[in-house]
Amino acid sequence: MKIQDATVLVTGANRGIGKSFVEEALARGARRVYAAARNPEAVTTPGAVPVRLDITDPAQIAELAGRLTDVDIVVNNAGVAISTSIVGDDIETIRREMEVNYYGPLQVSRAFAPTLTEREGHLLIVNSALSWAVIPGTAPYAATKAASWMLANGLRLELAPKVGVTSLHVGWVDTDMTAGVTDEKVSPEEVAREAFDGVEKGAMEVLVDGTSKQVKAALSLDPSALYGS
């Protein structure tokens, strides 16, 4: 699936990785790029088409999918990180995180599945190195991204052979969400470039950095290697 001449929808497109996806799609010659955000007035990328979308609102998702029948590629990027403990945090806060990071992409993917099937399009789901491991302070978020990784695998099976599905994994990205992180970060521009390279190659997974590659490789280890004292 080539980005050039394709119509692309990016969720969470007003900042961070989402904004970089919009810019990269336009740079690669996309015919049209719909930049979806809860507040479309916050979309400032020249050439993008701002659209309103709250990915936790089923009616809004259905309306948009019914209207945007020219979409070839859906980038499920919108997400949040709002809790730090599965024991100590309020359960409704944790539930909200799952609603945005798992049920949101699920609902968007389901709504656009008929259009993507008809157009033999592609789904890109933004996941994380934390789909595969937990570090202190990330347990609720990691749980949502583990679920989202399985979402990508399930969609790949159910939408084949007409729709390709790529799961994107990366460690820390230099965005507002990681402003307090001092570890090495990848730029959102690099993430967008590598992700779209993967889409164009039909890759099932894209692992952007050394962190995501190391964590993925560690899945074969006994859990004591990661979580033992």
Side-chain angles (χ1 to χ4, degrees), residues 48-90:
V49 180
V51 294
R52 187 179 305 279
L53 180 62
D54 179 345
I55 64 169
T56 66
D57 185 334
Q60 208 171 96
I61 294 169
E63 187 278 331
L64 195 68
R67 182 159 52 90
L68 305 186
T69 56
D70 59 341
V71 171
D72 300 297
I73 301 169
V74 172
V75 179
N76 275 305
N77 164 73
V80 296
I82 52 179
S83 52
T84 60
S85 171
I86 53 175
V87 175
D89 283 346
D90 179 76

Side-chain angles (χ1 to χ4, degrees), residues 81-95 97 134-143:
I82 52 179
S83 52
T84 60
S85 171
I86 53 175
V87 175
D89 283 346
D90 179 76
I91 192 67
E92 291 306 317
T93 302
I94 296 171
R95 194 186 308 276
E97 202 162 356
V134 181
I135 60 176
T138 69
Y141 179 81

Side-chain angles (χ1 to χ4, degrees), residues 67-208:
R67 182 159 52 90
L68 305 186
T69 56
D70 59 341
V71 171
D72 300 297
I73 301 169
V74 172
V75 179
N76 275 305
N77 164 73
V80 296
I82 52 179
S83 52
T84 60
S85 171
I86 53 175
V87 175
D89 283 346
D90 179 76
I91 192 67
E92 291 306 317
T93 302
I94 296 171
R95 194 186 308 276
R96 168 68 179 172
E97 202 162 356
M98 185 65 79
E99 287 288 343
V100 175
N101 293 351
Y102 174 73
Y103 286 106
L106 171 60
Q107 292 182 104
V108 171
S109 299
R110 284 166 57 100
F112 279 91
T115 292
L116 294 178
T117 299
E118 180 180 346
R119 300 177 69 85
E120 298 189 9
H122 205 96
L123 273 169
L124 172 63
I125 299 181
V126 178
N127 286 314
S128 172
L130 293 172
S131 298
W132 302 317
V134 181
I135 60 176
T138 69
Y141 179 81
T144 69
K145 289 302 182 178
S148 182
W149 176 44
M150 282 300 147
L151 169 63
N153 292 332
L155 288 168
R156 187 178 297 116
L157 290 175
E158 294 200 18
L159 296 178
K162 295 291 188 180
V163 180
V165 179
T166 299
S167 183
L168 172 68
H169 299 266
V170 63
W172 300 120
V173 182
D174 192 9
T175 65
D176 292 345
M177 189 182 290
T178 63
V181 175
T182 58
D183 293 341
E184 185 176 352
K185 304 174 189 178
V186 180
S187 73
E189 293 82 7
E190 181 180 350
V191 173
R193 285 195 301 271
E194 294 212 22
F196 279 144
D197 283 349
V199 168
E200 293 193 331
K201 293 174 184 174
M204 292 185 181
E205 289 185 347
V206 173
L207 280 60
V208 175

Side-chain angles (χ1 to χ4, degrees), residues 221-228:
L221 301 177
D222 186 90
S224 63
L226 296 176
Y227 307 113

